[in-house]
């Protein structure tokens, strides 16, 4: 089978598309004929092994799984011993944030991990774009007590995480102000944001506004800059560790000192996120933002370069089946 492979942590240039043996499912595993996957920021972290902490989970000194990829949507084509709840022909999707080798024509995955059947009427591209970023967005939001009427700023409304966060917040009756480049304002409005700030025109940290929460979904701002626009007891959450991992330090110190806090969320329980977002897709309340650019498996390296450029809009699909 064809697969995007690298045997050591390295740059985007280390990605190669090779012919490797089709894997055989072990007990309690199913084999999936992958139809679609994404190339995302987590894939980039698992590819490069950076931040270095990533290697504690993805493998040390080498990646545990040479095939790249963290999410999949596809069709079950073989069942391992002991599998009861899945059968050949089932449409399934799944996610494993430490790298599970999904940038390939086939992948084997334990049925005891983060896997769901795809409900009728949802296509492979749409559901696979609900895995990585929506999981992180959900895990930002479930770390705080959101109440209807709260006002939240999402920095990076066109990002995969930011675009998911805007939609998840709107389902809870939250007033959302989102920040993006001026060219993308209409896209972010279409996600449901109440107000969209074009970052070339307005520095959101200098406005006379007061937010209950600032979700820095692209990790481009800082707590020190956002503090003045937070209400008393307001909370700043970033998707990045920040310079010198300051967001981790602040997450430890600000709950003790000061009335405005930083939370650095640890995104656990992937299956809970998948179930939650899938229900919202079924009820028409969540549609993942998908980049106009899609790539074939042969173009895996180009897809990684594009994601590394920081210029993607939402989720980047790698077409396989
Ligand atoms: N903490 C975690 O567990 C975790 C997990 C996954 C990812 N991450 C991190 O989360 C961040 C977001 O990931 P993602 O996949 O959502 O990002 P992404 O999709 O790569 O975000 C890129 C988007 O953000 C926009 N953007 C760039 N600079 C901006 C700025 N200063 N203000 C507002 N928007 C800006 C870009 O717009 P233009 O194209 O117009 O520049 C682009 O549309 C990444 O830094 C990633 O490393 C963290």
């Amino acid at each position: 089978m064809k697969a995007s492979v690298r045997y050591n942590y390295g740059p985007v240039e280390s990605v190669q598309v090779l012919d490797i043996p089709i894997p055989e499912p072990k007990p309690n595993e199913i084999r999936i004929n992958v139809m679609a996957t994404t190339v995302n920021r987590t894939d980039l972290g698992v590819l490069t092994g950076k931040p270095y902490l990533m290697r504690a989970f993805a493998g040390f000194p080498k990646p545990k799984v040479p095939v790249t990829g963290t999410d999949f949507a596809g069709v079950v084509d073989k069942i391992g011993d002991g599998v009861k709840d899945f059968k050949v022909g089932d449409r399934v999707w799944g996610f494993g944030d430490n790298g599970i080798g999904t940038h390939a024509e086939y992948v084997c995955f334990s049925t005891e991990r983060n896997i769901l059947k795809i409900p009728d009427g949802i296509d492979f591209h749409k559901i696979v774009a609900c895995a990585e970023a929506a999981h992180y967005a959900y895990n930002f939001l479930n770390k705080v007590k959101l109440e209807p009427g709260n006002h939240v700023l999402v920095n990076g409304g066109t990002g995969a995480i930011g675009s998911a966060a805007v939609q998840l917040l709107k389902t809870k009756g939250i007033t959302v102000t989102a920040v993006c480049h001026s060219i993308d304002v209409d896209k972010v409005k279409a996600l449901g944001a109440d107000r969209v700030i074009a970052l070339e025109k307005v520095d959101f940290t200098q406005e006379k506004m007061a937010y209950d929460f600032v979700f820095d979904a692209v990790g481009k701002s800082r707590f020190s800059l956002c503090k003045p626009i937070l209400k008393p007891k307001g909370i700043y959450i970033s998707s990045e560790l920040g310079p010198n991992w300051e967001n981790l330090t602040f997450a430890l110190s600000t709950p003790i000192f000061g009335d405005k806090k930083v939370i650095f969320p640890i995104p656990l329980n992937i299956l809970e996120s998948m179930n939650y977002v899938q229900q919202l897709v079924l009820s028409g309340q969540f549609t993942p933002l998908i980049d106009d650019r899609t790539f074939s498996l042969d173009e895996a390296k180009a897809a990684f370069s594009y994601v590394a450029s920081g210029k993607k809009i939402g989720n980047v699909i790698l077409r396989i089946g």
Side-chain angles (χ1 to χ4, degrees), residues 39-45 51 54 97 132-133 135-136 140 154-163 179-184 197 199-200 204 216-221 238-241 264-267 289 291 306-316:
V39 179
N40 55 55
R41 301 289 290 225
T42 302
D43 292 325
L44 207 57
M54 189 72 139
D97 53 357
E132 189 249 11
H135 165 62
Y136 296 123
F140 277 19
V154 176
N155 187 29
T158 50
I161 298 176
S163 58
V179 184
C180 65
H181 285 104
S182 52
I183 195 169
D184 297 316
I197 297 175
L199 65 93
E200 297 87 344
F204 70 87
D216 187 1
V218 278
K220 300 269 179 163
S221 192
S238 177
S239 60
E240 283 289 340
L241 290 160
F264 194 77
I266 308 293
L289 187 63
D291 200 289
Y306 182 48
V307 172
S309 75
K311 292 283 168 201
K312 74 178 168 73
I313 298 288
N315 301 275
V316 173

